[in-house]
Amino acid sequence: MKKVLVLDGSTRKQGNTSILIEHFLDGAKSNTDQIEHVIVKDLKIDYCNGCLRCNLIKRCSISGDDWNELSQKIAEADVLVFASPIYFHYVSSPLKKIIDRFRSLVHVQITEQAVKHTPWQKWNKDFVLLLSMGSSDDIDAQPVLDLFEYMKEVMGEENRLHVIKATRLAVIKQISKTEDELNQLYTKLSIPEKLAKNDAIKNQKILESCFNLGSKLTI
């Protein structure tokens, strides 16, 4: 069975990001029971301090937090899900702390032209991004996509990246609201009510895409 690890970067309970995850995992559960859903804000993860000792010892030198156990789970996962709301064009701060600690998974060499990253162990994983945002334009998430395209390539040419982006989500649980509920909400938010019908259809398709992706990647 495929192992699925979800790194849930939301700082809310049962928000739009949580609903995306729920539908993804509903699909995954049809094929595997090897699933772990980690609420990132509840972990004790210290900041990477750029000491570069991981270049010498091939692991993070920081001790006393949850990274050692989490990094083992990351290494063992076949499907690695990063889920987050977009805050100022990037993932939430709890998830960013974890991404920074990925530094310890690679050797870094400073060259004349740039920096060369070589993973201690090449991966063959499915990377999944589940992103929710208030903006009507998913370009707000582009910095995250750029990073994960790079991460996916650095960690091995066999890795694959799958992205689902949900837009125009201003309030909790909005992605599950009906057309009538969106009409009422958009009136309060001064968003054109004419968008409600298409948004309700679009949101439902996004949730279906989450379910289908979870099922597909765990076959």
Side-chain angles (χ1 to χ4, degrees):
M1 284 188 178
K2 295 281 187 74
K3 288 187 176 181
V4 178
L5 177 64
V6 177
L7 299 176
D8 183 347
S10 180
T11 57
R12 294 177 172 180
K13 292 183 178 179
Q14 294 303 310
N16 293 300
T17 303
S18 299
I19 295 171
L20 294 175
I21 293 170
E22 178 185 347
H23 281 75
F24 180 89
L25 291 183
D26 283 346
K29 288 172 184 176
S30 61
N31 297 310
T32 183
D33 59 6
Q34 301 295 304
I35 294 171
E36 184 158 3
H37 181 184
V38 176
I39 308 298
V40 173
K41 70 179 181 64
D42 294 338
L43 296 177
K44 184 181 185 298
I45 298 291
D46 293 329
Y47 292 102
C48 173
N49 57 26
C51 70
L52 302 182
R53 286 199 66 217
C54 47
N55 258 12
L56 302 174
I57 63 177
K58 299 185 178 182
R59 60 175 176 79
C60 187
S61 64
I62 298 173
S63 60
D65 70 356
D66 294 326
W67 173 251
N68 187 49
E69 181 180 355
L70 180 63
S71 63
Q72 187 62 38
K73 293 176 180 178
I74 290 170
E76 294 173 354
D78 300 295
V79 180
L80 192 54
V81 181
F82 298 81
S84 179
I86 296 296
Y87 294 153
F88 201 61
H89 309 281
Y90 218 72
V91 297
S92 65
S93 55
L95 187 56
K96 181 59 167 63
K97 282 205 297 184
I98 286 178
I99 293 172
D100 285 349
R101 295 288 288 276
F102 271 60
R103 164 65 184 81
S104 61
L105 304 177
V106 299
H107 179 270
V108 176
Q109 179 183 356
I110 299 174
T111 69
E112 184 177 352
Q113 292 78 25
V115 174
K116 179 181 179 182
H117 295 86
T118 306
W120 302 119
Q121 182 177 1
K122 286 191 175 184
W123 286 354
N124 181 1
K125 298 183 187 295
D126 285 292
F127 285 65
V128 176
L129 280 174
L130 302 179
L131 304 174
S132 62
M133 65 200 81
S135 174
S136 298
D137 189 344
D138 64 14
I139 194 66
D140 270 25
Q142 192 59 48
V144 180
L145 271 62
D146 291 342
L147 172 65
F148 275 85
E149 283 285 357
Y150 182 73
M151 284 174 59
K152 178 254 298 183
E153 293 173 5
V154 163
M155 295 308 298
E157 60 274 5
E158 299 299 319
N159 295 306
R160 299 151 302 277
L161 177 63
H162 313 269
V163 182
I164 293 179
K165 296 171 285 186
T167 57
R168 201 153 44 231
L169 300 176
V171 302
I172 194 168
K173 298 184 179 182
Q174 182 178 332
I175 198 167
S176 296
K177 291 185 181 298
T178 65
E179 179 184 346
D180 288 342
E181 290 171 329
L182 288 180
N183 259 315
Q184 296 176 31
L185 174 65
Y186 287 3
T187 299
K188 294 177 182 178
L189 298 178
S190 298
I191 297 173
E193 294 177 26
K194 64 182 181 180
L195 299 175
K197 181 177 181 179
N198 286 340
D199 281 0
I201 295 171
K202 176 195 69 174
N203 291 342
Q204 186 58 42
K205 288 182 177 178
I206 288 172
L207 296 180
E208 291 173 1
S209 294
C210 289
F211 179 93
N212 291 337
L213 184 60
S215 178
K216 173 185 173 183
L217 296 184
T218 52
I219 293 175

